[in-house]
Amino acid sequence: MIINSFILIIIGLSGGLVVGSGFVAFLAVLGIIPRLTQLTKTYQFIHVYEWAIILGTVLVGWASLSNSLLFQSELWLIPIGLFCGIFIGMLAAALTEVLNVFPILAKRVGLGEKILVLLMAIVFGKIAGSLFHWMYFVNH
């Protein structure tokens, strides 16, 4: 029984290290965090971004291992969802900016000079689709 638990701990830690290393390599190789700070003109807060990602990953990973319940109002989900959406959106924006996805797409579609229109169409389409999904499918 003790040997099985020890093997399970080793496998869990090894898997976590592999996934964590892959995530850090993904962020480091593509330069996501420096590009994100450059886009938002908040380079002086680069260490805040790094620590937010590290602490967020560790805390949420730790919280996901426990079966704890927080007896709070459902209204707490609004700012949590908002912050998660902002983080994912900014991470995706930095990734597409690093890989030059939007300029290539704009040239292919014929909107090379109106890339802002393309970005706004994507943003508003995502917002409309998310609102439709949550208001229609979640409540039915």
Side-chain angles (χ1 to χ4, degrees):
M1 185 70 177
I2 293 175
I3 294 174
N4 289 341
S5 298
F6 183 71
I7 291 173
L8 188 61
I9 289 171
I10 296 296
I11 290 172
L13 285 174
S14 301
L17 285 173
V18 168
V19 171
S21 299
F23 181 67
V24 168
F26 169 73
L27 292 177
V29 168
L30 293 177
I32 298 293
I33 295 173
R35 185 65 181 144
L36 182 62
T37 59
Q38 184 181 17
L39 286 174
T40 58
K41 296 180 178 64
T42 56
Y43 191 75
Q44 66 271 19
F45 298 115
I46 191 166
H47 295 296
V48 175
Y49 283 104
E50 292 169 348
W51 278 106
I53 290 173
I54 291 168
L55 290 175
T57 304
V58 170
L59 292 176
V60 171
W62 183 260
S64 70
L65 293 175
S66 65
N67 291 329
S68 60
L69 296 174
L70 300 176
F71 296 103
Q72 300 293 324
S73 170
E74 292 176 353
L75 294 176
W76 279 101
L77 294 176
I78 295 171
I80 291 171
L82 183 65
F83 288 136
C84 289
I86 289 171
F87 173 75
I88 296 297
M90 291 182 75
L91 192 62
L95 178 61
T96 56
E97 184 69 27
V98 167
L99 298 177
N100 293 326
V101 171
F102 286 135
I104 293 170
L105 178 65
K107 287 179 185 175
R108 299 268 174 139
V109 178
L111 296 173
E113 298 152 357
K114 298 184 179 183
I115 195 165
L116 185 61
V117 174
L118 177 66
L119 289 174
M120 288 287 108
I122 292 171
V123 167
F124 288 129
K126 177 67 175 166
I127 291 171
S130 296
L131 286 174
F132 175 74
H133 171 78
W134 283 102
M135 292 167 68
Y136 184 75
F137 288 113
V138 173
N139 289 331
H140 287 93

